[in-house]
Amino acid sequence: MKKELKIYIFILIILSIIIHYKEFLTHPVEHLLGLMDSGAYGFGGFHPFIFSAVIYIIIGIPRVLFKIITRRIV
């Protein structure tokens, strides 16, 4: 469980930095404080968590399939 949470947080941080690198370099505090006022596709302040969850699921499906396949072979 802790490993999966670390993976999710890593995805959240990496996506945030990649997508909003200009804001994090110029005015990071104002950008974080304006999170609740954002209108990203109607998700508002929850959009980083929702987008990270979608990427986590997309990455997680092949991981689970790989684990299932390797357990049956061995």
Side-chain angles (χ1 to χ4, degrees):
M1 183 69 171
K2 288 182 184 180
K3 178 183 173 186
E4 299 301 319
L5 184 61
K6 288 179 184 179
I7 292 170
Y8 177 77
I9 292 172
F10 178 76
I11 291 171
L12 177 70
I13 292 170
I14 294 300
L15 284 178
S16 297
I17 290 172
I18 289 173
I19 293 172
H20 299 286
Y21 68 93
K22 290 180 185 176
E23 290 83 0
F24 281 119
L25 291 175
T26 58
H27 53 282
V29 175
E30 291 88 7
H31 186 68
L32 290 174
L33 291 176
L35 183 61
M36 293 309 290
D37 296 328
S38 66
Y41 303 108
F43 296 125
F46 294 109
H47 77 273
F49 304 107
I50 294 171
F51 295 155
S52 297
V54 169
I55 298 300
Y56 176 78
I57 291 169
I58 291 172
I59 291 172
I61 290 171
R63 289 177 57 221
V64 169
L65 291 175
F66 181 74
K67 283 182 181 180
I68 291 171
I69 290 171
T70 56
R71 285 186 182 169
R72 293 191 184 217
I73 292 174
V74 174

